[in-house]
Amino acid sequence: MTDPLWQRLGARPRVADTEFAVWAPNARSVTVFGDFDRWAGTDHPMERGPHGVWTATVDGARPGMAYKYRVVGADGLTRDKADPLARAAQRPPETASVIAGPSSFVWNDEKWMAARADRRPEREPMSIYEVHLGSWRSGLSYREAAVQLAEYAADRGFTHVQLMPITEHPYGGSWGYQVGSYFACSSRWGTADDFRFFVDHLHSKGIAVLLDWVPAHFPKDAFALGEFDGTPLYEHADPLRRDQPDWGTYAFNLGRPEVRDFLIASAVYWCSEFHLDGLRVDAVASMLYLDYSRGPGQWRPNARGTHENDEAVDFLRRLNDAVHEACPGAVMIAEESTAWPGVTVSTDRGGLGFDFKWNLGWMNDLLSFLSLPPRRRAELHERVAFGLTHATAERYVLPISHDEVVHGKGTLVTRMPVSADAAAGVRLALAFQWAHPGKKLLFMGQEFGQTREWADDRGLDWNLLDPDGSNASVHRGIALAARDLAHLHAELPALHRMDCDARGFAWLDARDTANTVIGFLRLAGDGAATGGGIVACVFNFSDRDLDGYRLGFPLAGPWREILNTAAREYGGHGVGNLGRIVAVDEPSHGRPYSAAITLPASAAVFFTPGR
């Protein structure tokens, strides 16, 4: 079996020297230089070998030393480049690669990894906490963050932590989405073994770790991949496909086999060498369409005259198959913002092969709906209800991500209309998210009602939870409701087992636009009425308490109220159903039984059969 790419290229230290290998097929010459020659740049010319790979062995080069390649390109220009296959890099703003020694980390997650291969993630609870490592709590290393974040996530009921990119990136303000090194974790927070400790420790607390990964584009910094050998090597030669206009970056040439292999090797590297439980693949739509963010005359159609990027489709299928084969149980999640068909259909059935897809339509509809004053929400009621009827068209993740709390958008709290109870609105939004079919993702800070818009250069406003704070009860109430929702989601099979199966959902009422009430059942699919097999979820999006609200139920009572986001412990006004209701033999809403229930204003109420 051929060794993986990261073991064939890059810097490979031995006892007294280091072997260097870099792909630069069109270069006139390549020289490796660095700490070992005092950056002279002339002592260690490399020899061109098969397939355009240049190699050299340098005596005295050892782990921890920085280096670059001096490339005289096909255009005659000299460029000093970081190593595309470097497994360590200098801390920005420095841009050199670093010789990485062999890992000395001892993993302790053998049981976790063995069990992961047999899991069925579509039938398991998935509450994802999205984290920017540098600003969750400022100043933490990988190891410090591991201990604090694992404890926090487990207590809050999160099953997964998803990290915004920690692949090394030159500009912190890109949040990691403009990657400078696809095989090196950012030295801002420690070493590769420190990051291994991070993953291992979260596994020990029952938390899976996902990584945001960026194969769509890369920055134009002089030290990085662009024009690597004096030609468009990693990027497209076609000027109509070379640039990514949204981000001022280069788009990868996904039709070139060596570029595909480079990216696929990166994905497999992170999931295998660091035991990651999956990748969230960024900006998939920008790869799939030749005309993405391009106007007339700025793009070239494919051979069929249409706008699909066939090379990207082929790449994504190969990518997903490769990760699934090399890392059993790892999940691949697409950030795909359009209606491209079959994103989560297997490749052997003609799909792209992802395990899950972000449901951005759900997010946009819900946040637009909730931002309206309650008296106007009827305008978008049908759109929100419509989303529920298509909740299993793909295997979805429901995201309220970092993109929704930046660039003037505010936060969940500040998106609520001024005339409404903002805290009640946030609790209602979170309840709708956790009851809705699909896996869940929530960006850090929204679980306790962060009020300042997120910024990558400061920590979250944890002081909002201080007991003596002026609004502490409000934020502690949101935090408690979010925690209870996540724990209920994990504990009750009805709330997660059939997330991706239409048989796990049934309507109670979708048409009450006059009161803006939505009600539905979540079903575990095993026919059991008790033990969390059925949950009735009812949402009052109006600003009025609704007493004696008649709603159909599939079974006779009693039904027990298991969650009420208007409860006093959450900071609500305490209106509810005193623990239980009794469904009577009076049909309603197409159901054989019904009950008169109390629906608090701007609140969600969950019921399950039993006393």
Side-chain angles (χ1 to χ4, degrees):
M1 180 180 294
T2 304
D3 290 335
L5 191 66
W6 64 89
Q7 293 180 9
R8 290 183 279 129
L9 298 179
R12 294 160 291 162
R14 302 186 299 190
V15 175
D17 57 27
T18 295
E19 294 180 331
F20 295 90
V22 63
W23 178 59
N26 303 301
R28 297 182 183 180
S29 67
V30 182
T31 302
V32 61
F33 67 117
D35 290 340
F36 42 79
D37 68 348
R38 298 185 180 180
W39 297 92
T42 57
D43 297 348
H44 302 290
M46 304 180 77
E47 181 179 348
R48 181 188 172 96
H51 311 295
V53 174
W54 298 75
T55 60
T57 300
V58 178
D59 291 336
R62 59 184 184 274
M65 288 184 169
Y67 69 99
K68 281 188 174 181
Y69 297 117
R70 180 155 290 165
V71 181
V72 178
D75 55 5
L77 299 179
T78 299
R79 299 170 176 85
D80 291 345
K81 292 288 189 178
D83 189 344
L85 270 294
R87 291 177 290 115
Q90 287 183 315
R91 182 168 182 165
E94 302 301 322
T95 59
S97 303
V98 174
I99 301 171
S103 172
S104 61
F105 185 76
V106 178
W107 289 94
N108 297 293
D109 64 350
E110 294 86 356
K111 291 183 179 179
W112 173 278
M113 296 297 287
R116 190 184 76 182
D118 296 325
R119 290 177 186 152
R120 296 183 60 189
E122 75 279 5
R123 292 177 61 83
E124 295 185 358
M126 185 179 285
S127 296
I128 306 169
Y129 190 45
E130 188 189 21
V131 170
H132 178 264
L133 202 57
S135 60
W136 180 68
R137 286 178 177 157
S138 296
L140 299 181
S141 67
Y142 288 123
R143 289 177 182 264
E144 292 166 338
V147 175
Q148 296 185 34
L149 185 54
E151 179 181 1
Y152 181 83
D155 174 69
R156 299 289 169 168
F158 290 105
T159 60
H160 294 63
V161 164
Q162 180 175 301
L163 296 177
M164 292 169 69
I166 55 87
T167 36
E168 192 61 271
H169 46 284
Y171 175 50
S174 77
W175 312 332
Y177 290 97
Q178 295 195 14
V179 178
S181 183
Y182 275 80
F183 291 81
C185 59
S186 179
S187 55
R188 291 169 175 85
W189 306 297
T191 66
D193 275 356
D194 293 334
F195 184 57
R196 288 182 174 92
F197 174 89
F198 178 95
V199 177
D200 191 67
H201 186 74
L202 264 69
H203 285 173
S204 75
K205 302 300 180 182
I207 307 295
V209 183
L210 308 173
L211 178 64
D212 219 336
W213 183 71
V214 190
H217 62 115
F218 59 92
K220 294 182 177 180
D221 297 66
F223 75 91
L225 297 174
E227 298 182 332
F228 192 85
D229 63 357
T231 69
L233 188 64
Y234 289 88
E235 67 273 29
H236 276 279
D238 183 346
L240 293 183
R241 298 180 64 180
R242 184 180 308 159
D243 292 331
Q244 177 43 259
D246 279 356
W247 304 295
T249 52
Y250 284 131
F252 278 105
N253 182 358
L254 299 175
R256 186 161 195 161
E258 297 91 344
V259 174
R260 287 199 305 266
D261 290 348
F262 170 81
L263 289 170
I264 291 171
S266 171
V268 173
Y269 173 77
W270 289 104
C271 290
S272 58
E273 293 289 321
F274 293 90
H275 292 199
L276 289 173
D277 300 291
L279 302 174
R280 178 266 197 185
V281 181
D282 181 63
V284 169
S286 74
M287 294 186 277
L288 288 173
Y289 298 97
L290 296 168
D291 60 344
Y292 185 88
S293 290
R294 292 173 171 85
Q298 297 177 334
W299 65 283
R300 198 183 320 280
N302 60 30
R304 301 185 306 281
T306 61
H307 67 165
E308 296 86 3
N309 186 341
D310 297 333
E311 294 168 351
V313 171
D314 179 66
F315 163 73
L316 291 168
R317 289 171 173 164
R318 290 171 184 261
L319 166 72
N320 288 319
D321 285 347
V323 172
H324 288 142
E325 180 180 358
C327 307
V331 297
M332 297 294 285
I333 303 171
E335 188 219 9
E336 201 287 302
S337 55
T338 74
W340 186 280
V343 173
T344 60
V345 173
S346 64
T347 59
D348 59 6
R349 294 173 52 208
L352 296 183
F354 285 96
D355 298 286
F356 297 100
K357 168 185 171 173
W358 274 22
N359 192 339
L360 294 167
W362 168 88
M363 177 272 298
N364 287 321
D365 289 344
L366 178 64
L367 294 182
S368 297
F369 176 67
L370 289 174
S371 69
L372 292 174
R375 67 181 181 278
R376 291 186 52 201
R377 286 176 178 166
E379 299 171 14
L380 296 181
H381 183 106
E382 291 186 2
R383 187 186 300 177
V384 173
F386 177 82
L388 282 157
T389 65
H390 291 76
T392 57
E394 297 267 10
R395 293 193 296 272
Y396 284 121
V397 171
L398 310 177
I400 298 178
S401 73
H402 67 276
D403 281 329
E404 307 317 311
V405 296
V406 291
H407 303 319
K409 296 177 183 176
T411 68
L412 275 183
V413 170
T414 61
R415 278 175 177 262
M416 299 300 155
V418 175
S419 60
D421 181 340
V426 171
R427 299 192 302 266
L428 176 59
L430 295 176
F432 191 73
Q433 180 182 19
W434 256 261
H436 196 290
K439 309 309 178 183
K440 330 299 177 188
L441 179 141
L442 189 65
F443 184 60
M444 63 183 196
Q446 307 314 299
E447 78 280 8
F448 62 79
Q450 170 95 7
T451 51
R452 282 199 302 174
E453 191 172 80
W454 172 63
D456 63 279
D457 58 355
R458 64 169 185 252
L460 298 180
D461 293 333
W462 297 104
N463 59 294
L464 294 175
L465 297 172
D466 291 345
D468 56 353
S470 59
N471 291 309
S473 61
V474 170
H475 297 284
R476 291 164 75 89
I478 293 173
L480 181 58
R483 184 178 69 177
D484 287 352
L485 283 163
H487 281 290
L488 276 177
H489 170 71
E491 293 164 5
L492 302 181
L495 291 180
H496 65 258
R497 186 176 295 164
M498 303 287 279
D499 267 336
C500 305
D501 190 323
R503 294 170 296 178
F505 173 87
W507 281 112
L508 291 175
D509 190 7
R511 299 188 177 92
D512 189 358
T513 57
N515 292 303
T516 52
V517 170
I518 290 177
F520 53 81
L521 297 174
R522 293 300 312 277
L523 309 166
D526 56 7
T530 57
I534 300 179
V535 178
C537 307
V538 189
F539 304 86
N540 179 5
F541 292 102
S542 78
D543 55 2
R544 298 171 288 111
D545 293 337
L546 302 176
D547 297 318
Y549 189 89
R550 178 66 59 177
L551 195 63
F553 280 84
L555 302 170
W559 287 69
R560 179 168 53 95
E561 184 182 272
I562 57 172
L563 181 127
N564 182 340
T565 62
R568 294 193 185 280
E569 59 263 36
Y570 300 146
H573 59 335
V575 171
N577 296 277
L578 300 177
R580 68 172 186 164
I581 59 172
V582 176
V584 297
D585 190 8
E586 182 179 327
S588 181
H589 296 83
R591 299 286 179 184
Y593 303 95
S594 65
I597 62 178
T598 297
L599 294 181
S602 297
V605 185
F606 295 180
F607 302 94
T608 194
R611 298 183 180 277

